[in-house]
Amino acid sequence: PEVLKDLDKRGLLFAAPKFEHDYPHCWRCGTPLIYYARSSWFIKVTEVKEDLIRNNKEINWIPKSIGEGRFGDWLENIQDWGISRNRYWGTPLNIWECPGCGNQTAIGSRKELAEKTGDPAAETVELHRPYIDRFFIKCEKCGQDMKRVPEVIDCWFDSGAMPFAQLHYPFENKELFDKQFPAQFISEAVDQTRGWFYSLHAEATLLFNKPAFKNVIVLGLVQDENGQKMSKSKGNAVDPFEALATYGADAIRWYFYTNSAPWLPSRFAGKTVQEGQRGFLGTLWNTYAFFVLYANIDGFSAAKYKLEPDKLPVMDRWILSRLMSTIGGVDEDLENYRIPEAGKKLAAYVDDLSNWYVRRCRERFWAGGMEQDKINAYMTLWTCLVEISKAAAPMVPFMTEEIYRNLVTTDFPTAPKSVHLCDFPAVDASLIDKALEKDMEIIRDIVVLGRSCRNTANIKNRQPIARMFVRMNADMADADIAGNAMATAVITEELNVKEITFTDDVREFTSYSFKPQLKTVGPKYGKLVGAIGAALKTLDGNAAMDELNEKSEMVLDAGGEKVTLTKEDLLIEMTQKEGFVSMEDYGITVVLDTNLTQELIDEGIVNEVISKLQNMRKDAGFEVTDHIEMSVTGSDRVAAIVKAHEKAITDKVLAERVDYENACGEAKAWDLGEDKVTLGVKKIG
């Protein structure tokens, strides 16, 4: 009422005696609408149109196209706001009208009602109750009894009053209101652009000449997996409670955060949600489970130690640098409403943590005792899990809470009791080493290319290879890779290669072949395509590639005519010398020597046997610390190879003895290429 009185005094409230309304004959039944005229009350928002437009320009709309387009266009064509409704429920207008002369007056409080009516009982009446109709006010113009207009306010008007009504302003809490208004941030679906967003904006402009909010993020609608709007009548609506029971809240939240920008429509499909379960969520949980498994075995508690950066090996320093870079990147993305980008950074980090750091450091956790290197590994992984859980908590609140409470609150009684009571993690710049991160990225690129070479040659990673060659482009000259002991160790271990050589020239092993790219060469040279193809076959591959890299083009004689070709005009394929396989990408060329000696083949058999025995231990349900007896039967050749490398094998699988005559315990036949062997495992004790 106070708002309406203020608007009335400023001439922004008026009544229209006959205004055509539309009514559904029956709610959502699809029958025709009935139109008839009624008297209605309006707010003259057209009077403040320029203020509405100006205030809108102060708002940071995400995306801007909604604020400038859908909402901005709405303001440009604004019409006066009909706020009265003939309904039973809602805030009453509390306007009295004279049936004689049509004079009207607004009542804003019980005290004012008592003064106008001369009846002290009015001070005890709730203004929204129907029985205030028994009070009469004398018309100041003609003296007749005025009666309350039996109408309520548009519910959207109530919603727009939220910023001040929730604080009972202006009657109290002025300082709190001044502190909280305008709001820092609001969010709703796109269908509220001309609903709640508008009512907030209109009332803030009408009453305070300010925008109601500083930032607004507009959410797109959820569609079915075929891109259709969900509807109960169409039968394609997803029951949210069934989805929660099937996939879990974290998985569904993660899907919406990472599937697309929030303001774009999202297609909801169970299989896509499950990809997130298997990917980010599954990887994070498995990494946490790995830590818990070995921490329990060793009785490790982070409260007993501290992270000492100056004592850390390179892998620890790298993953901590990646942690801090990721936290900084996620914080910046969230600050700028780049939600999927933040999620992808988290996912990339967790993938690095699991599939590179933990996989490469597993044996550090397996070591006996509690030496400094093992402490470093535990503290590094503990720190990474705790801090990345804090960063991911807004997106996956339940899993991160489980991880945090187990890793932190159990051992640190004074720490916040929940991850959601923690501050967003701060970036420790002293732990960031961008050069190391870049070097590790190059190392991983080399490993990826090396694995591609192995796949091309159909050589498993457990089969050792004698040597490999790596060439990097000149723009990688600053990278500390060639001659770096860490880099050499990581690459050779990952690719199971005995020797690595960094070189500026791999021409001894590789060349290039060229074919015309028909979709570009055809339109340019037409009938000369055949002659161009023939000319390309005669080229010295390496020399032609040098010319192409140096000049960004090559010149050919095709059937007596001069032809100029760029990389876009060519299909380029790297070729290799027999016995060598090469791959090129990321500005890197990797060449593997695929010639295998008998010694290398035997070592490959040893690795296969170890792998199979480890799998059998796991399948049999043995603990990682259980010692076993093992057997090797069915192949004299494999048995001889195992005998020659017996200690290396038994140390890996915790075997106390090997039986070469009789199969023991859980026995299983395996196909090791040309050899077929039966292996057995039996727990001792």
Side-chain angles (χ1 to χ4, degrees):
E2 287 294 319
V3 173
L4 296 177
K5 283 184 64 179
D6 180 74
L7 296 175
D8 190 30
K9 288 177 183 178
R10 292 158 55 197
L12 296 176
L13 188 68
F14 68 96
K18 291 186 178 180
F19 179 74
E20 194 172 74
H21 290 257
D22 58 300
Y23 292 87
H25 184 58
C26 180
W27 180 244
R28 289 186 177 177
C29 64
T31 57
L33 298 177
I34 296 176
Y35 294 88
Y36 61 92
R38 289 187 47 80
S39 62
S40 297
W41 283 85
F42 285 80
I43 297 175
K44 199 179 296 184
V45 289
T46 51
E47 290 289 320
V48 294
K49 173 181 174 180
E50 296 307 317
D51 293 334
L52 289 167
I53 293 171
R54 185 188 66 255
N55 288 335
N56 182 48
K57 291 179 179 178
E58 296 182 17
I59 300 170
N60 177 32
W61 282 85
I62 309 294
K64 291 187 181 298
S65 59
I66 298 291
E68 295 171 354
R70 180 177 167 87
F71 194 72
D73 293 344
W74 173 261
L75 298 181
E76 289 287 350
N77 298 283
I78 200 67
Q79 297 182 28
D80 290 330
W81 184 359
I83 62 163
S84 59
R85 298 289 185 272
N86 184 26
R87 294 287 187 273
Y88 295 104
W89 306 113
T91 302
L93 274 169
N94 288 333
I95 293 176
W96 268 252
E97 183 177 64
C98 176
C101 67
N103 180 37
Q104 294 178 336
T105 185
I107 299 298
S109 67
R110 287 175 288 183
K111 182 177 181 181
E112 185 178 2
L113 180 63
E115 291 174 352
K116 292 276 188 179
T117 61
D119 187 346
E123 287 203 48
T124 64
V125 173
E126 293 294 338
L127 292 180
H128 65 280
R129 297 296 185 186
Y131 49 72
I132 67 171
D133 289 343
R134 68 185 177 88
F135 293 97
F136 294 89
I137 298 174
K138 292 294 184 182
C139 176
E140 294 177 355
K141 289 186 177 181
C142 68
Q144 293 190 47
D145 287 338
M146 304 174 75
K147 288 287 289 184
R148 187 176 67 90
V149 176
E151 291 182 339
V152 296
I153 300 173
D154 176 13
C155 63
W156 288 113
F157 189 87
D158 285 346
S159 76
M162 179 272 291
F164 54 91
Q166 66 175 336
L167 299 174
H168 201 218
Y169 176 86
F171 306 104
E172 57 182 326
N173 299 318
K174 182 180 186 305
E175 290 185 4
L176 183 57
F177 172 75
D178 290 340
K179 181 180 179 180
Q180 293 185 356
F181 184 83
Q184 290 291 324
F185 165 87
I186 67 167
S187 177
E188 248 292 0
V190 66
D191 56 335
Q192 294 298 331
T193 307
R194 296 170 179 177
W196 186 51
F197 292 165
Y198 171 69
S199 64
L200 286 168
H201 184 68
E203 291 188 48
T205 299
L206 285 163
L207 299 172
F208 310 106
N209 202 8
K210 291 181 179 180
F213 35 83
K214 296 180 180 180
N215 301 278
V216 53
I217 187 165
V218 183
L219 303 180
L221 300 178
V222 181
Q223 302 172 338
D224 68 12
E225 58 185 335
N226 299 314
Q228 299 297 313
K229 184 178 179 180
M230 288 192 186
S231 168
K232 288 184 178 179
S233 61
K234 293 181 180 178
N236 65 342
V238 173
D239 185 320
F241 295 102
E242 288 184 8
L244 286 169
T246 302
Y247 309 112
D250 278 348
I252 293 176
R253 290 171 67 102
W254 182 253
Y255 166 76
F256 282 117
Y257 280 126
T258 57
N259 182 55
S260 65
W263 48 89
L264 297 177
S266 292
R267 295 187 178 187
F268 186 86
K271 60 184 178 183
T272 312
V273 176
Q274 288 174 321
E275 288 174 7
Q277 284 179 311
R278 292 189 295 267
F280 170 73
L281 293 172
T283 304
L284 176 59
W285 187 260
N286 288 339
T287 307
Y288 161 71
F290 173 90
F291 175 88
V292 170
L293 173 65
Y294 289 97
N296 286 338
I297 290 173
D298 287 323
F300 172 81
S301 168
K304 298 177 183 178
Y305 308 97
K306 65 177 181 178
L307 189 69
E308 301 182 78
D310 57 321
K311 295 182 180 180
L312 300 179
V314 67
M315 286 299 294
D316 294 354
R317 288 190 285 111
W318 167 74
I319 197 62
L320 289 170
S321 179
R322 279 281 293 118
L323 173 68
M324 293 302 147
S325 295
T326 298
I327 289 172
V330 169
D331 194 15
E332 182 181 357
D333 282 340
L334 294 179
E335 180 72 20
N336 292 280
Y337 303 97
R338 297 190 293 261
I339 313 300
E341 291 82 353
K344 288 170 184 175
K345 284 184 175 66
L346 289 169
Y349 179 77
V350 169
D351 183 71
D352 283 351
L353 183 64
S354 172
N355 295 317
W356 193 251
Y357 176 77
V358 170
R359 190 171 56 78
R360 287 209 49 76
C361 295
R362 281 177 301 192
E363 295 190 4
R364 296 170 65 191
F365 296 91
W366 298 342
M370 192 58 75
E371 301 299 323
Q372 185 62 47
D373 183 61
K374 192 173 186 179
I375 294 171
N376 290 340
Y378 270 124
M379 286 305 300
T380 297
L381 184 52
W382 180 88
T383 301
C384 293
L385 286 168
V386 171
E387 295 304 303
I388 208 64
S389 292
K390 292 178 184 177
M395 295 188 176
V396 283
F398 298 103
M399 181 179 289
T400 54
E401 177 76 344
E402 176 78 12
I403 293 172
Y404 174 85
R405 288 179 65 84
N406 190 31
L407 296 187
V408 178
T409 59
T410 302
D411 294 331
F412 296 88
T414 61
K417 298 302 181 184
S418 167
V419 71
H420 305 296
L421 297 176
C422 298
D423 291 335
F424 193 86
V427 174
D428 184 346
S430 68
L431 295 178
I432 295 180
D433 186 338
K434 286 296 184 183
L436 176 57
E437 289 187 47
K438 181 62 178 176
D439 290 347
M440 194 65 76
E441 183 181 346
I442 294 173
I443 290 170
R444 295 183 73 176
D445 289 342
I446 292 172
V447 170
V448 168
L449 291 172
R451 287 176 180 158
S452 295
C453 289
R454 277 185 167 275
N455 291 337
T456 299
N458 197 26
I459 298 176
K460 293 181 179 180
N461 207 56
R462 297 190 189 98
Q463 173 58 63
I465 290 177
R467 55 183 180 153
M468 69 179 291
F469 303 88
V470 177
R471 182 184 69 81
M472 297 186 294
N473 283 357
D475 59 2
M476 298 182 182
D478 294 338
D480 186 19
I481 305 298
N484 183 309
M486 178 276 296
T488 299
V490 171
I491 296 169
T492 54
E493 287 173 15
E494 284 293 317
L495 294 176
N496 199 5
V497 174
K498 299 296 184 184
E499 178 185 339
I500 180 173
T501 300
F502 290 91
T503 178
D504 295 329
D505 191 355
V506 291
R507 295 167 184 266
E508 180 183 352
F509 315 106
T510 66
S511 185
Y512 297 89
S513 64
F514 304 89
K515 293 179 181 179
Q517 175 61 269
L518 297 181
K519 66 180 181 181
T520 60
V521 175
K524 287 182 182 179
Y525 296 108
K527 295 181 180 180
L528 290 177
V529 170
I532 291 172
L536 289 172
K537 290 181 180 179
T538 66
L539 296 177
D540 178 319
N542 283 318
M545 195 65 185
D546 288 343
E547 179 185 359
L548 198 57
N549 287 330
E550 180 181 352
K551 301 178 180 179
S552 299
E553 63 181 26
M554 66 166 62
V555 180
L556 297 175
D557 183 332
E561 292 195 32
K562 182 180 178 181
V563 171
T564 302
L565 303 175
T566 66
K567 283 187 177 181
E568 293 181 352
D569 298 322
L570 298 165
L571 296 172
I572 306 172
E573 184 178 347
M574 179 179 283
T575 59
Q576 45 261 319
K577 178 181 176 182
E578 187 175 353
F580 294 85
V581 176
S582 59
M583 289 286 173
E584 183 179 46
D585 205 351
Y586 321 112
I588 301 168
T589 304
V590 168
V591 181
L592 290 190
D593 181 350
T594 58
N595 298 290
L596 301 178
T597 64
Q598 189 59 51
E599 183 179 0
L600 291 172
I601 293 172
D602 288 353
E603 189 175 341
I605 297 263
V606 169
N607 293 338
E608 288 288 350
V609 169
I610 291 172
S611 174
K612 302 299 187 271
L613 289 169
Q614 296 286 37
N615 286 334
M616 292 175 68
R617 284 180 56 103
K618 183 177 180 180
D619 293 342
F622 297 168
E623 298 291 337
V624 293
T625 55
D626 287 340
H627 285 238
I628 65 167
E629 176 184 345
M630 58 172 280
S631 62
V632 183
T633 57
S635 171
D636 292 340
R637 194 172 88 88
V638 173
I641 294 171
V642 171
K643 283 182 181 178
H645 301 83
E646 187 173 295
K647 187 174 189 315
I649 296 173
T650 55
D651 285 351
K652 286 280 188 182
V653 301
L654 299 183
E656 297 289 341
R657 53 184 175 270
V658 184
D659 192 332
Y660 296 98
E661 302 295 332
N662 303 297
C664 70
E666 301 285 340
K668 186 175 180 179
W670 296 95
D671 188 348
L672 304 182
E674 298 178 0
D675 299 283
K676 299 203 172 28
V677 64
T678 298
L679 303 176
V681 294
K682 180 180 180 181
K683 185 167 71 172
I684 295 176

